[in-house]
Amino acid sequence: MQKVIKDKGISLTIVLSVILAFAGCVGGQLGQNNSNEYRKGMVVSASEDASLVGIDILKKGGNAIDAAVAVQFALAVVYPNAGNIGGGGFLVYRSAEGEVNTLDFREKAGFRASRDMYLDPDGNPVIDKSLFGHLAVGVPGSVAGMVAAHQKYGKLKWGDLLEPAIVLAKSGFKITARQARELNGLKERFITYNPNGTALVKDREWLEGDILVQSELANTLELIRDKGMAGFYSGPVADSLLAEMKRGKGILSADDLKSYKAIWRKPIIGDYKGFKVITMPPPSSGGIALIQLLKCVEPYPLKQWGLNSDSTVQLMVEAERRVYADRATHLGDPDFYDVPQEQLLSNAYIEERMAGFNWAHATPSANIKAGTFKVAEHEETTHFSIVDKAGNAVSVTTTLNGSYGSAVIVKGAGFLLNNEMDDFSVKPGSPNMYGLVGGEANAIMPAKRMLSSMTPTIIEKNGELFMVVGTPGGSTIITSVFQTVINVIEFDKNMQAAVDAKKFHHQWLPDTIYMEKGALDSLTVVKLKSKGYPVLERGAIGRVDAILKTRWGYYQGGADRRGDDKSIGW
Ligand code: DON
């Protein structure tokens, strides 16, 4: 690996051109556009460098979990806006034999967190406090998550999985044009929260192709390589994190770090027309919401209506409205709040929820105050999907929450801290950065995990692996995964086409259908508006990275062109 990365300039180009040529040829043979298909395994992630790291681990005999660990650490280096060691996430696993499991490495509130910590004396939310700077930070879970995943299922040596990320941090990597734009755009924020300097700020503008070297991060990764949990949650890295907290008046303590544990949880499993959907339970809302959405639309002939037709959109929107209303009220950290999971997923409940749906008119969203909300278009989380030679599959969504999280980079340790505290319901009924509202179930409590929308998912067909899927996108995660699954199962899209298809989104509040430019044709928009559906255009929705197993046993990649994402197979 080290060699591949060190000689990256040359080997990446050669490897990639061979891969791309081969992909084009295979796709052509099977009569499928722009899809790449491979037999032995595949990695799809937000970064070409990270996908190469993952495929290299697979080729060395690592399994999907080994590759996931290596990709997670590589993304912390080459995709710092969302890849992370200072954030958290969720992992869904399915072994080749059909064993399923999920891992919760979500951040949690510090012991000193309190319900009203982001409210001013008049009880109003102070938005920036939960979004930027030290107070926005939840206890990071990613390192604990990777250690737990590796201990349970990993095959290669832990240290070997960290090595590629260390090399990328030490020697640097070439930033993309998109990354240069983002880093330049955030320069002032980085300076505000990191007055002592950081590798992410340059004395001139960043340019595409500039090499980003992160020496402090490399040292931190070496400590994690050598000491595992103790390399991050105690010792010099923890000391730097606590010093950073002190400097910026954050509240995380040594106890918070020492007590952090990743948790294996029973997957949410649902059925859609014979496909078995294996997905993430709370504290993510994603799994329950995805199964609810699928069940809501299952009785209807979507295939006959067609992709993004007015009937399809109306039905999906009405399902989304109801499911997001449930999310706001009923979902939170199951260790703190009794989530009525069975009721939410029961067929009788879903039938009752859809019973009020009327084809003639939009159902107005319930009358909870929506607050002033603008859809954020620079949402940043990242998802990767991996399948190995044996057929084990891993679906991981991981995040700092906003792009580059809290913008705080731990001085001396070189990694970004999350702003995940904003995913709590800071005040009942007040929208968070994604416009999501919540109540008691997701109120802040010490050591509680904040509710998530992340929806890493694996789907089986006839007892065999069928799809590995997930995406970033804040509140749009659930609807993006929903549409991608429907695009394949109902509309017979191949994986890349399902990812490329334009999306729309409704989340109950605000009571609006958001659509990507061109997602719905003008006649469809007119029809929907006449029935009382406000429709607004917005930027990209989701950034799905997914794998489909074709009926011939090939893995087909879907890497989202809304970003610099890359699927690589072998
Ligand atoms: O856990 C959540 O639902 C959010 N923190 C995810 C944020 C996100 O997807 C931002 N990305 N694009």
Side-chain angles (χ1 to χ4, degrees):
M1 181 74 244
Q2 211 146 333
K3 188 160 181 312
V4 175
I5 295 292
K6 272 192 179 141
D7 303 340
K8 214 157 56 89
I10 302 167
S11 57
L12 277 188
T13 323
I14 297 171
V15 169
L16 277 173
S17 42
V18 171
I19 284 169
L20 291 173
F22 183 63
C25 147
V26 171
Q29 276 171 11
L30 296 177
Q32 281 153 341
N33 286 334
N34 295 322
S35 61
N36 46 22
E37 303 202 345
Y38 296 89
R39 262 280 183 213
K40 293 186 183 161
M42 182 164 277
V43 180
V44 190
S45 86
S47 143
E48 181 177 318
D49 288 343
S51 293
L52 277 170
V53 164
I55 209 77
D56 199 62
I57 293 287
L58 295 183
K59 287 183 178 172
K60 288 203 161 102
N63 62 24
I65 289 283
D66 292 320
V69 171
V71 169
Q72 171 81 25
F73 284 114
L75 284 169
V77 178
V78 298
Y79 193 67
N81 36 349
N84 68 82
I85 54 175
F90 298 106
L91 177 152
V92 176
Y93 173 72
R94 181 187 181 278
S95 75
E97 296 75 34
E99 176 197 348
V100 292
N101 212 339
T102 75
L103 181 63
D104 160 6
F105 55 101
R106 179 68 161 169
E107 300 92 324
K108 61 174 192 170
F111 287 120
R112 285 186 277 192
S114 59
R115 187 185 174 92
D116 296 337
M117 62 189 280
Y118 301 114
L119 303 187
D120 68 14
D122 299 328
N124 299 315
V126 186
I127 309 278
D128 275 9
K129 261 189 164 178
S130 62
L131 277 181
F132 305 118
H134 300 67
L135 212 53
V137 183
V139 185
S142 290
V143 174
M146 294 307 103
V147 169
H150 180 255
Q151 276 174 353
K152 195 166 178 73
Y153 295 113
K155 203 164 116 192
L156 298 189
K157 279 209 238 96
W158 171 253
D160 293 347
L161 307 179
L162 271 288
E163 215 52 56
I166 294 168
V167 174
L168 284 163
K170 241 187 217 167
S171 320
F173 71 98
K174 276 188 187 170
I175 64 167
T176 65
R178 185 187 306 271
Q179 286 178 314
R181 268 197 314 275
E182 287 167 356
L183 290 171
N184 292 332
L186 287 173
K187 184 171 184 172
E188 291 314 314
R189 190 182 299 164
F190 286 139
I191 292 172
T192 305
Y193 292 106
N194 306 281
N196 301 318
T198 152
L200 299 186
V201 171
K202 221 178 170 47
D203 42 14
R204 60 160 172 80
E205 293 270 284
W206 286 98
L207 298 172
E208 177 182 3
D210 276 344
I211 305 291
L212 173 56
V213 174
Q214 300 170 88
S215 320
E216 289 183 347
L217 179 57
N219 295 340
T220 297
L221 291 167
E222 282 176 346
L223 281 165
I224 298 170
R225 174 194 64 195
D226 297 341
K227 299 193 154 73
M229 285 287 278
F232 184 83
Y233 292 97
S234 53
V237 173
D239 292 346
S240 300
L241 197 159
L242 296 173
E244 187 63 59
M245 283 291 132
K246 202 162 168 200
R247 186 180 70 70
K249 300 196 172 55
I251 56 168
L252 298 189
S253 66
D255 274 354
D256 288 325
L257 296 178
K258 284 208 183 103
S259 64
Y260 186 87
K261 282 195 175 53
I263 303 173
W264 291 100
R265 297 191 188 270
K266 199 166 155 240
I268 298 275
I269 298 187
D271 180 84
Y272 180 77
K273 298 190 176 173
F275 290 85
K276 182 169 163 189
V277 183
I278 303 143
T279 182
M280 198 66 215
S284 185
S285 60
I288 290 183
L290 176 64
I291 304 293
Q292 284 189 302
L293 287 170
L294 290 168
K295 278 177 182 261
C296 286
V297 303
E298 191 172 23
Y300 297 87
L302 289 177
K303 202 187 194 87
Q304 190 185 314
W305 292 340
L307 173 73
N308 292 1
S309 69
D310 55 331
S311 300
T312 299
V313 175
Q314 191 179 357
L315 176 71
M316 287 170 88
V317 161
E318 289 300 341
E320 289 168 7
R321 183 199 310 281
R322 286 158 176 77
V323 166
Y324 276 80
D326 277 346
R327 179 195 191 279
T329 309
H330 296 301
L331 293 181
D333 181 348
D335 297 339
F336 286 74
Y337 186 86
D338 209 0
V339 176
Q341 189 167 310
E342 270 181 36
Q343 291 92 317
L344 289 171
L345 294 174
S346 85
N347 291 334
Y349 176 73
I350 298 287
E351 260 176 48
E352 184 197 314
R353 287 292 271 167
M354 289 302 278
F357 165 39
N358 179 346
W359 282 110
H361 303 288
T363 317
S365 286
N367 54 355
I368 283 186
K369 189 172 62 162
T372 50
F373 162 67
K374 200 169 157 292
V375 175
E377 294 186 3
H378 297 288
E379 306 142 337
E380 278 306 341
T381 292
T382 191
H383 177 85
F384 53 93
S385 296
I386 298 179
V387 181
D388 67 21
K389 195 171 168 189
N392 304 300
V394 178
S395 183
V396 176
T397 314
T398 180
T399 190
L400 291 165
N401 195 21
S403 193
Y404 298 88
S406 62
V408 177
I409 297 147
V410 176
K411 184 72 202 145
F415 65 93
L416 274 148
L417 289 169
N418 65 81
N419 58 345
E420 219 72 61
M421 290 296 283
D422 190 63
D423 273 349
F424 276 116
S425 173
V426 165
K427 183 183 178 189
S430 284
N432 73 358
M433 76 183 284
Y434 303 109
L436 292 167
V437 290
E440 201 48 46
N442 190 31
I444 305 175
M445 286 173 79
K448 184 176 174 183
R449 281 154 147 90
M450 53 296 280
L451 185 63
S452 173
S453 300
M454 292 189 276
T455 315
T457 296
I458 296 178
I459 301 180
E460 272 180 21
K461 184 183 177 184
N462 302 330
E464 296 279 325
L465 179 66
F466 179 67
M467 196 192 302
V468 188
V469 60
T471 183
S475 57
T476 67
I477 290 176
I478 300 165
T479 48
S480 296
V481 171
F482 176 43
Q483 284 170 76
T484 307
V485 170
I486 291 288
N487 289 348
V488 172
I489 295 182
E490 294 291 351
F491 303 129
D492 298 325
K493 299 277 180 206
N494 68 32
M495 197 68 261
Q496 188 62 53
V499 169
D500 288 344
K502 300 262 172 58
K503 298 197 210 68
F504 60 91
H505 169 77
H506 193 290
Q507 59 180 45
W508 177 48
L509 296 175
D511 191 347
T512 300
I513 300 177
Y514 292 94
M515 66 164 206
E516 291 183 306
K517 192 174 169 47
L520 312 180
D521 63 37
S522 29
L523 185 60
T524 303
V525 172
V526 169
K527 282 186 189 165
L528 288 166
K529 284 188 173 167
S530 74
K531 290 182 176 180
Y533 293 93
V535 182
L536 277 185
E537 205 172 280
R538 57 159 278 177
I541 297 180
R543 199 165 149 178
V544 178
D545 283 336
I547 300 173
L548 186 68
K549 190 171 176 189
T550 67
R551 76 181 74 154
W552 302 282
Y554 284 90
Y555 298 117
Q556 200 178 71
D560 207 317
R561 299 180 222 255
R562 294 166 182 84
D564 302 321
D565 303 35
K566 193 85 200 161
S567 72
I568 303 182
W570 69 301

